[in-house]
Amino acid sequence: MLLSTVVPCYNEEDVLQETHRRLTQVLEQAMVGGSFEIVYVDDGSTDGTARVLGGLHEQDDRVRVVRLSRNFGHQLAATAGLDHASGDAVVLIDADLQDPPEAIPLLLAKWREGYDVVYGVRSDRAGETRFKLWTAKVFYRLVNRLSETPIPLDTGDFRLMDRKVVGALRSMPERDRFMRGMVSWVGFRQTAVPFRRAPRAAGESKYPLFKMLRFALDGVTSFSTVPLRLATWVGFAASAVALLGILYALAVRLFTQSWVSGWAALFVAVLFIGGVQLLALGVIGEYIGRIYGEAKHRPLYLVAERFGFSDRWPLHDAADAAPCVRNPRAER
Ligand code: UDP
Ligand code: MG
């Protein structure tokens, strides 16, 4: 059997040599009697990543390199990697050694037991800021509350997937690729393996706060329409309050000698309802923007070059790069 390892890389020149060394060491031990390939996806890096990857490809014929035409973001880089992986099982792992390659044999063992998706659950995250830990926690809880597909808590993208799961993911054309949600949506037999998430080996995180917020928004909007329904609920609540107000004003007018006065109440109510309406419009706009993005049917990513594939397929485009569901019950 063939095991593919997909590694998205964005400006990772400092760490790639070490990543490759540790990956090959682990894979050589884990794959006696089988073979493996490592698919590095250069996500439009602006540093020496392309050069380092070129070097790795020269030294090692198990290295495949896909260079994207620009930076498309982690989730799309991972998608490109999955499209180019031809293994019976595919492991997705970060380039910065935060997901320890040494955990791959544990994932493989579960796969051999018959699981189709084995995802790593972070039992410990050394070297992350308190703020990142807290935001990550809130984020996972929020997405789960809102989404119809349960998404396992505290999992990143470090996971092993069977060929049929990769085939299923490849048949999902959506643009806002929230990979963890998508993998959970496909079903099949899934299980978790706890691992300790290490601090980044070198370089710095490519997920500043703003990008994280964007990612969180993708997570919510691509798996939930609850925000759309929120407007309806707020509308109901506001109508209920308004009805009470009307009854009160009428009662005062009819049964006492005075009447309700004051433009302050009016002013506040008008501003409040105006604010809620704009907010609801914004939420609707967010979804319409996504529909617009999907309607354009652009390719998810563009490949600038590939190394290490030519011996196997005459490549036309990414869709042809990997066969779809190959022998789903290949030997494990
Ligand atoms: N990455 C990528 N494209 C991007 C940002 C990140 O391919 O636009 C890769 C990056 O090289 C790394 C992985 O995605 O292998 C995770 O990124 P990072 O470590 O910066 O995220 P964090 O671990 O801080 O959440
Ligand atoms: Mg990282």
Side-chain angles (χ1 to χ4, degrees), residues 169-230:
L169 286 181
R170 296 193 61 211
S171 72
M172 293 161 76
E174 61 224 66
R175 184 156 307 275
D176 296 308
R177 300 190 84 77
F178 183 62
M179 206 64 97
R180 352 191 148 163
M182 291 167 66
V183 171
S184 149
W185 181 89
V186 299
F188 298 109
R189 294 188 64 200
Q190 310 211 355
T191 187
V193 165
F195 75 99
R196 292 172 72 95
R197 187 151 161 99
R200 207 168 216 291
E204 56 194 40
S205 172
K206 277 85 191 176
Y207 275 93
L209 181 65
F210 181 70
K211 247 179 155 179
M212 252 164 55
L213 280 179
R214 189 77 235 160
F215 184 58
L217 207 61
D218 277 350
V220 172
T221 49
S222 49
F223 277 88
S224 169
T225 48
V226 172
L228 286 175
R229 240 171 277 148
L230 220 59

Side-chain angles (χ1 to χ4, degrees), residues 87-139:
D88 302 299
V90 181
V91 172
L92 183 59
I93 190 168
D94 280 0
D96 57 4
L97 293 172
Q98 283 197 289
D99 310 327
E102 289 71 26
I104 292 178
L106 303 177
L107 305 185
L108 259 178
K110 286 282 178 194
W111 180 68
R112 292 205 169 100
E113 271 174 38
Y115 288 100
D116 298 307
V117 176
V118 190
Y119 51 89
V121 176
R122 304 156 174 169
S123 59
D124 182 32
R125 302 178 77 178
E128 302 266 29
T129 59
R130 289 269 283 280
F131 180 70
K132 175 126 190 188
L133 292 185
W134 183 77
T135 45
K137 189 169 159 186
V138 169
F139 165 65

Side-chain angles (χ1 to χ4, degrees), residues 136-147:
K137 189 169 159 186
V138 169
F139 165 65
Y140 285 115
R141 293 330 171 267
L142 181 75
V143 170
N144 251 314
R145 277 300 277 283
L146 293 181
S147 119

Side-chain angles (χ1 to χ4, degrees), residues 224-246:
S224 169
T225 48
V226 172
L228 286 175
R229 240 171 277 148
L230 220 59
T232 320
W233 295 336
V234 175
F236 271 126
S239 311
V241 172
L243 192 67
L244 288 181
I246 292 167

Side-chain angles (χ1 to χ4, degrees), residues 4-5 9 63 80 92 114 182 252 261 288 294:
S4 301
T5 306
C9 318
V63 169
L92 183 59
M182 291 167 66
V252 170
S261 72
I288 293 184
E294 297 285 359

